[in-house]
């Protein structure tokens, strides 16, 4: 490193109601970086927390020039918070991790080493899912199963624990979509990739901030952002239904002319139910894509910043 300027890593952490432990957690992360001789800045994004998170991180930013605190104007969700973090980061590479230390900071030196060896995206792969509730595990399984199949991108055991080179960040900033899915975007861009395994630790404090509704919303965003397969499914179903209709139509006509017309009533009811639900589902799917177009058309910003605290403006 002698002679040339040491490269700096930005550690981006979205924070939502983590006030109780955020200071300790971030000190822990800082210590690990210091010990490994990594030059770093911490970018903490307060995603409209309702507890004392903002007080804590703004104080940290005032005390330590390596800490940047950004407050969003309300709770936008983890994805927009991550975008805000990537926009505020100034390092030569960015590490994205959760505030609750479920992404073990002990892995940071290894990530940086892989990056220095030439990887442009260093991805954390979960070797186990830690202790999670059964219902959560089930949802996660369904969620990733769906996305893997639909998008052709392997999301299994992938995580948001990543290191991204400056080049990759700039590439991702060119992606204009309003509704983002970080994991999908960072997979889509490509680049030189390496991965490492990590064990998901237990949350240091509090509970997971993901409700079932949020998880479903994320699943829908993920699928609709990376594939239009559901729309093709509708067409496919329609074609199958059409063939069914021809067969049944012929049978119905035959019955009519043969004089047994009364009997087919069950079929009529079943068909009505089946076709009715198919149409509803299809309309729903089309509606989801329409909703996406509508949201993207509005072109609203991904997030709004209400305050930024950082000691040095540089570059
Ligand atoms: N988070 C956020 N905004 C939200 C929900 C969560 O910024 O609306 C942050 C949270 O503070 C944490 C990370 O996203 O740093 C992961 O959240 P959590 O631990 O609740 O999710 P899980 O680990 O269960 O996936
Ligand atoms: Mg967590």
């Amino acid at each position: 490193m002698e002679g040339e300027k040491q490269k700096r890593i930005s550690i981006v952490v979205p924070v939502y109601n983590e006030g109780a432990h955020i200071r300790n957690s971030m000190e822990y992360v800082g210590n690990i970086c210091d010990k490994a001789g990594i030059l770093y800045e911490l970018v903490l994004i307060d995603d409209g927390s309702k507890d004392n998170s903002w007080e804590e991180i703004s104080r940290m930013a005032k005390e330590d020039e390596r800490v940047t605190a950004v407050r969003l104007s309300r709770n936008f969700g983890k994805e927009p918070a991550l975008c805000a973090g990537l926009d505020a980061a100034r390092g030569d590479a960015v590490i994205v991790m959760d505030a609750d230390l479920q992404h073990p900071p002990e892995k940071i030196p290894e990530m940086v080493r892989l990056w220095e060896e030439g990887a442009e995206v260093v991805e954390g792969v979960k070797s186990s899912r830690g202790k999670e509730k059964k219902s959560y595990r089930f949802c996660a399984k369904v969620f990733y199963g769906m996305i893997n199949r639909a998008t052709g991108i392997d999301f299994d055991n992938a995580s948001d624990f990543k290191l991204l080179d400056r080049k990759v960040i700039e590439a991702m900033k060119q992606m204009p979509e309003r509704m983002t899915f970080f994991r999908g975007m960072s997979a889509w861009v490509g680049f030189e990739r390496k991965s490492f395994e990590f064990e998901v630790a237990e949350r240091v404090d509090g509970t997971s901030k993901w409700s079932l509704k949020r998880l479903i919303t994320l699943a829908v965003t993920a699928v609709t952002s990376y594939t239009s397969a559901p729309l093709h499914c509708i067409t496919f179903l329609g074609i199958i239904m059409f063939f069914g209709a021809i067969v049944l139509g012929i049978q119905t006509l035959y019955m009519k002319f043969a004089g047994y017309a009364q009997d087919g009533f069950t079929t009529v009811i079943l068909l009505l139910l089946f076709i009715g639900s198919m149409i509803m589902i299809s309309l729903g799917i089309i509606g989801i894509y329409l909703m996406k177009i509508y949201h993207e058309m509005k072109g609203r910003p991904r997030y709004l910043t209400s305050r930024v605290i950082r000691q040095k403006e540089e570059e």
Side-chain angles (χ1 to χ4, degrees), residues 99-139:
D100 54 13
L101 299 187
Q102 280 191 300
H103 296 157
E106 291 82 8
K107 289 285 176 182
I108 291 177
E110 185 185 340
M111 295 167 85
V112 173
R113 187 175 50 78
L114 287 169
W115 173 59
E116 281 167 345
E117 286 169 12
E120 288 156 322
V121 179
V122 181
E123 308 176 276
V125 178
K126 293 174 194 161
S127 57
S128 77
R129 292 195 63 90
K131 275 202 186 121
E132 287 166 340
K133 269 192 281 171
K134 271 217 175 102
S135 61
Y136 185 92
R137 193 177 301 224
F138 176 76
C139 289

Side-chain angles (χ1 to χ4, degrees), residues 38-262:
I38 296 167
L39 191 61
Y40 71 94
E41 68 162 354
L42 266 178
V43 181
L44 306 177
I45 311 298
D46 175 20
D47 185 17
S49 300
K50 291 172 185 68
D51 64 352
N52 62 338
S53 296
W54 175 246
E55 283 79 66
E56 287 291 332
I57 67 174
S58 58
R59 194 146 12 103
M60 287 161 69
K62 283 173 196 155
E63 287 166 9
D64 188 343
E65 60 174 28
R66 291 174 299 184
V67 179
T68 298
V70 177
R71 181 162 169 82
L72 303 188
S73 62
R74 62 170 170 84
N75 179 235
F76 279 87
K78 184 182 177 185
E79 298 288 325
L82 279 180
C83 289
L86 296 186
D87 290 344
R90 295 168 298 181
D92 300 295
V94 173
I95 290 179
V96 173
M97 63 183 290
D98 285 359
D100 54 13
L101 299 187
Q102 280 191 300
H103 296 157
E106 291 82 8
K107 289 285 176 182
I108 291 177
E110 185 185 340
M111 295 167 85
V112 173
R113 187 175 50 78
L114 287 169
W115 173 59
E116 281 167 345
E117 286 169 12
E120 288 156 322
V121 179
V122 181
E123 308 176 276
V125 178
K126 293 174 194 161
S127 57
S128 77
R129 292 195 63 90
K131 275 202 186 121
E132 287 166 340
K133 269 192 281 171
K134 271 217 175 102
S135 61
Y136 185 92
R137 193 177 301 224
F138 176 76
C139 289
K141 212 172 160 192
V142 172
F143 177 45
Y144 291 120
M146 252 171 75
I147 310 177
N148 283 351
R149 278 187 167 222
T151 59
I153 302 176
D154 183 17
F155 289 91
D156 247 343
N157 298 318
S159 70
D160 286 343
F161 191 23
K162 286 188 200 310
L163 178 147
L164 305 171
D165 188 81
R166 174 58 45 197
K167 259 186 275 177
V168 182
I169 304 284
E170 294 309 321
M172 281 170 68
K173 280 188 191 165
Q174 286 173 31
M175 298 166 84
E177 56 254 62
R178 302 287 114 191
M179 294 162 87
T180 56
F181 181 59
F182 177 70
R183 232 170 286 178
M185 285 167 78
S186 55
W188 185 86
V189 290
F191 289 97
E192 207 62 52
R193 315 174 76 87
K194 284 230 174 75
S195 59
F196 66 93
E197 283 207 352
F198 73 94
E199 295 252 335
V200 180
E202 267 185 74
R203 210 174 203 295
V204 286
D205 182 77
T207 51
S208 173
K209 267 94 198 160
W210 290 96
S211 59
L212 181 62
K213 191 179 150 223
R214 284 224 155 155
L215 216 58
I216 293 174
T217 314
L218 187 67
V220 171
T221 309
V223 171
T224 52
S225 298
Y226 290 92
T227 177
S228 50
L231 289 176
H232 298 298
C233 283
I234 297 179
T235 320
F236 184 67
L237 271 178
I239 292 170
I240 291 182
M241 291 288 296
F242 179 66
F243 283 119
I246 290 178
V247 173
L248 279 170
I250 291 172
Q251 191 227 20
T252 311
L253 284 177
Y254 170 77
M255 298 289 250
K256 168 134 182 82
F257 290 122
Y260 312 115
Q262 276 298 318

